């Protein structure tokens, strides 16, 4: 049973059916959207003061090399912590299999860097458009939303979860699973806060419950096994989620401070892809990007090298790699052997946009090859958007993985993506989407 918490705005926890959110249920099953849609708020309930003074301290500590990655609790279920779509829906595997057989595909949402410190407007632009996707035909409706990290700014504080997470997604009628971004685990200097405390409370609960941070809204906490894990939606999708820790740059998944548990996990997960004979879409996700085209945040070359080493060792490479952190949209193609791997940044889910750094004030033209010392594979910047907030709509079939980019500026009812890419699963090559 859930704990009892005070409510905000006079709301009480709604109870609704796990899959279609109609009818009543107990908390032995998850709850997602409110039973009735409500208007977007125009202001935060908890005022978010400026974090500039704290960041001056952080910048100085960075200059003095006094900030290191932070250790984190081990996930449940090592060596490969696993979470299934059936579990987060509170549904039986047989029920899901019947749905997938009828649809012959799975659709889901992806974006990151959503928590705004300035007010709800920019995040609501994206969440409202995502919610509108549930007006599609049944086959096209998303089954879940995978968050690429930085759920709450600036230090993942519990007091901001209501305004930056629960309220913006109050009408989102599906599960939200997440990886942790650097801001979700950061600890402000001279505080006694514990890294990831609120993230673990709201995304890594051991059972379905309504937390205090929900402020009386209906959504139950997620039941992820920890900050790195495999998320499975068989037979179409398997997402390997890594935690790239708390530094602004670079992302770190293994070093002397935090150990190599994620490398051991990644090797176990990739080996199981082979032992299971998994033929669906394999997606790798981490908050810090492997590549960027020159925005404020840089790439994480050591992290990329560690991942590449394990992919090479196991002989298993992802069909796509998804990241956030850069506060804009960027799509790259990595030419690896005979395959073409999309590396996509979608970090414009609601937090302040970051323009790409341009030489002499000129616009950055695409396509453009990145110049990377010591990197054997060619990497091409194919497209980007540093003007709009937006999200990804991902479609996986038995043979293809299609990733679409939808900017919020197109309007809630616009269904045509501004950018897209399709990977043929059997060959790892980019192709035209053929559907089901």
């Amino acid at each position: 049973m859930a704990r009892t918490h005070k409510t905000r705005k006079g709301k009480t926890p709604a109870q609704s059916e796990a899959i279609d959110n109609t009818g009543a249920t107990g908390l032995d099953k998850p709850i997602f959207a409110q039973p009735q849609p409500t208007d977007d708020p125009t202001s935060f309930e908890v005022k978010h003061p400026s974090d500039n003074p704290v960041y001056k301290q952080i910048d100085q500590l960075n200059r003095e090399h006094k900030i290191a990655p932070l250790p984190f609790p081990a996930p449940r279920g090592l060596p490969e912590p696993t979470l299934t779509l059936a579990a987060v829906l509170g549904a039986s595997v047989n029920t899901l299999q019947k749905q997938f057989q009828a649809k012959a595909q799975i659709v889901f949402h992806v974006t990151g860097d959503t928590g705004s410190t300035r007010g709800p407007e920019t995040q609501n632009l994206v969440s409202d458009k995502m919610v509108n996707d549930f007006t599609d035909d049944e086959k096209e409706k998303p089954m879940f939303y995978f968050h690429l990290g930085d759920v709450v700014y600036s230090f993942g504080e519990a007091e901001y979860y209501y305004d930056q997470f629960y309220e913006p997604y109050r009408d989102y009628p599906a599960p939200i699973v997440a990886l942790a971004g650097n801001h979700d685990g950061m600890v402000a200097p001279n505080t006694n806060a514990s890294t990831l405390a609120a993230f673990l409370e709201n995304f890594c609960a051991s059972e379905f419950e309504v937390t205090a941070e929900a402020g009386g809204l209906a959504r139950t906490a997620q039941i992820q096994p920890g900050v790195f894990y495999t998320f499975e939606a068989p037979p179409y999708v398997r997402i390997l989620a890594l935690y790239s820790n708390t530094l602004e740059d670079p992302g770190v998944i293994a070093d002397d401070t935090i150990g190599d548990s994620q490398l051991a996990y990644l090797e176990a997960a990739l080996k199981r892809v082979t032992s299971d004979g998994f033929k669906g879409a394999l997606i790798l996700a981490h908050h810090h990007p492997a590549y960027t085209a020159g925005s404020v945040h840089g790439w994480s070359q050591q992290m990329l090298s560690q991942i590449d080493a394990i992919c090479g060792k196991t002989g298993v490479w992802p069909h796509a790699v998804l990241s956030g952190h850069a506060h804009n949209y960027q799509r790259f193609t990595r030419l690896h052997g005979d395959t073409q791997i999309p590396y996509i940044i979608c970090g414009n889910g609601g937090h302040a946009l970051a323009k790409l750094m341009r030489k002499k004030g000129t616009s950055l033209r695409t396509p453009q090859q990145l110049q990377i010392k010591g990197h054997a594979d060619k990497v091409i910047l194919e497209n980007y958007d540093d003007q709009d907030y937006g999200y990804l709509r991902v479609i996986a079939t038995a043979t293809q993985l299609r990733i679409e980019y939808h900017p919020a500026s197109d309007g809630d009812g616009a269904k045509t993506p501004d950018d897209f890419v399709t990977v043929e699963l059997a060959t790892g090559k980019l192709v035209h989407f053929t559907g089901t």
Side-chain angles (χ1 to χ4, degrees):
M1 291 299 293
R3 300 188 299 271
T4 300
H5 301 297
K6 66 179 182 179
T7 63
R8 300 179 186 178
K9 296 186 178 181
K11 298 174 182 176
T12 58
Q15 295 185 344
S16 54
E17 188 64 30
I19 296 177
D20 62 11
N21 287 314
T22 60
T25 184
L27 289 178
D28 58 333
K29 288 189 176 183
I31 304 169
F32 308 128
Q34 298 302 103
Q36 297 295 330
T38 55
D39 293 334
D40 287 341
T42 58
S43 61
F44 281 161
E45 281 217 345
V46 179
K47 185 177 180 179
H48 198 303
S50 173
D51 290 313
N52 287 339
V54 178
Y55 272 99
K56 287 182 179 179
Q57 298 179 56
I58 292 173
D59 290 341
Q60 181 59 37
L61 291 169
N62 275 323
R63 286 191 289 269
E64 297 172 357
H65 303 287
K66 292 182 178 179
I67 296 182
L70 295 177
F72 49 86
R76 305 184 297 269
L78 290 171
E80 187 187 357
T82 302
L83 180 68
T84 66
L85 180 59
V88 301
L89 286 169
S92 71
V93 174
N94 289 338
T95 299
L96 276 187
Q97 286 178 342
K98 290 179 181 178
Q99 291 187 32
F100 288 149
Q101 287 172 357
K103 296 180 178 183
Q105 66 179 26
I106 186 171
V107 179
F108 60 96
H109 286 141
V110 178
T111 193
D113 301 88
T114 57
S116 174
T117 61
R118 300 178 182 177
E121 181 180 1
T122 55
Q123 190 172 357
N124 285 336
L125 288 173
V126 180
S127 61
D128 287 350
K129 185 169 173 60
M130 291 167 69
V131 168
N132 190 270
D133 283 348
F134 289 89
T135 65
D136 288 352
D137 293 339
E138 192 64 34
K139 178 179 178 179
E140 303 295 338
K141 289 181 180 179
M143 293 292 288
F144 63 92
Y145 164 16
F146 191 90
H147 196 296
L148 292 172
D150 283 359
V151 180
V152 170
Y153 285 80
S154 285
F155 303 100
E157 299 99 327
E159 58 263 40
Y160 301 134
Y161 257 80
Y162 179 82
D163 286 323
Q164 294 188 33
F165 177 68
Y166 285 102
E167 180 65 66
Y169 302 114
R170 69 200 178 282
D171 294 330
Y172 190 85
I176 301 175
V177 294
L179 53 80
N182 60 302
H183 287 277
D184 299 313
M186 286 177 72
V187 175
N190 304 316
T191 67
N192 295 320
S194 298
T195 182
L196 294 164
F199 183 89
L200 295 171
E201 170 81 5
N202 290 278
F203 284 99
C204 303
S206 58
E207 61 184 357
F208 299 121
E209 60 182 12
V210 178
T211 68
E213 289 77 25
L217 293 178
R219 184 175 294 276
T220 46
Q222 195 48 265
I223 55 169
Q224 297 166 196
V227 292
F228 63 87
Y229 59 97
T230 299
F231 183 64
E232 296 185 326
Y236 296 121
V237 172
R238 189 174 289 187
I239 302 174
L240 310 186
L242 297 171
Y243 175 46
S244 51
N245 220 277
T246 59
L247 302 182
E248 284 291 351
D249 288 303
V252 179
I253 58 171
D255 71 357
D256 291 341
T257 302
I258 63 174
D260 62 358
S261 60
Q262 293 198 80
L263 302 185
Y265 151 71
L266 183 59
E267 183 171 345
L270 292 178
K271 285 181 175 178
R272 192 168 65 88
V273 170
T274 300
S275 63
D276 284 357
F278 178 68
K279 301 299 183 184
L282 180 65
I283 297 172
L284 185 64
H286 39 71
H287 180 68
H288 294 76
Y291 314 110
T292 71
S295 61
V296 174
H297 293 297
W299 38 29
S300 301
Q301 291 178 297
Q302 180 64 28
M303 180 180 73
L304 175 63
S305 296
Q306 292 171 335
I307 293 170
D308 283 358
I310 296 175
C311 289
K313 180 180 179 180
T314 59
V316 180
W317 293 79
H319 292 104
V321 179
L322 306 179
S323 302
H325 195 56
H327 298 185
N328 46 47
Y329 170 77
Q330 302 177 49
R331 178 169 65 84
F332 303 87
T333 301
R334 177 181 180 179
L335 307 179
H336 178 71
D338 294 330
T339 65
Q340 301 156 319
I341 307 173
Y343 281 69
I344 298 176
I345 299 169
C346 191
N348 53 342
H351 195 71
L353 291 170
K355 305 295 184 182
L356 294 185
M357 306 289 280
R358 294 160 181 161
K359 295 180 179 179
K360 300 179 181 179
T362 59
S363 297
L364 186 63
R365 187 172 297 280
T366 58
Q368 184 173 123
Q369 183 176 334
L370 299 189
Q371 302 301 316
I372 310 173
K373 291 183 179 180
H375 194 46
D377 295 342
K378 286 186 178 180
V379 179
I380 312 296
L381 172 66
E382 306 280 10
N383 209 337
Y384 70 94
D385 181 4
D386 62 357
Q387 308 289 318
D388 304 292
Y389 297 96
Y391 65 94
L392 306 178
R393 181 175 177 269
V394 184
I395 307 97
T397 71
T399 59
Q400 293 184 327
L401 173 68
R402 174 178 167 89
I403 304 173
E404 303 174 346
Y405 170 64
H406 293 263
S409 60
D410 283 356
D412 291 357
K415 303 295 185 183
T416 299
D418 281 29
D419 189 37
F420 54 87
V421 65
T422 302
V423 183
E424 185 177 58
L425 301 182
T427 65
K429 293 184 180 296
L430 304 188
V431 295
H432 288 289
F433 184 63
T434 58
T436 58

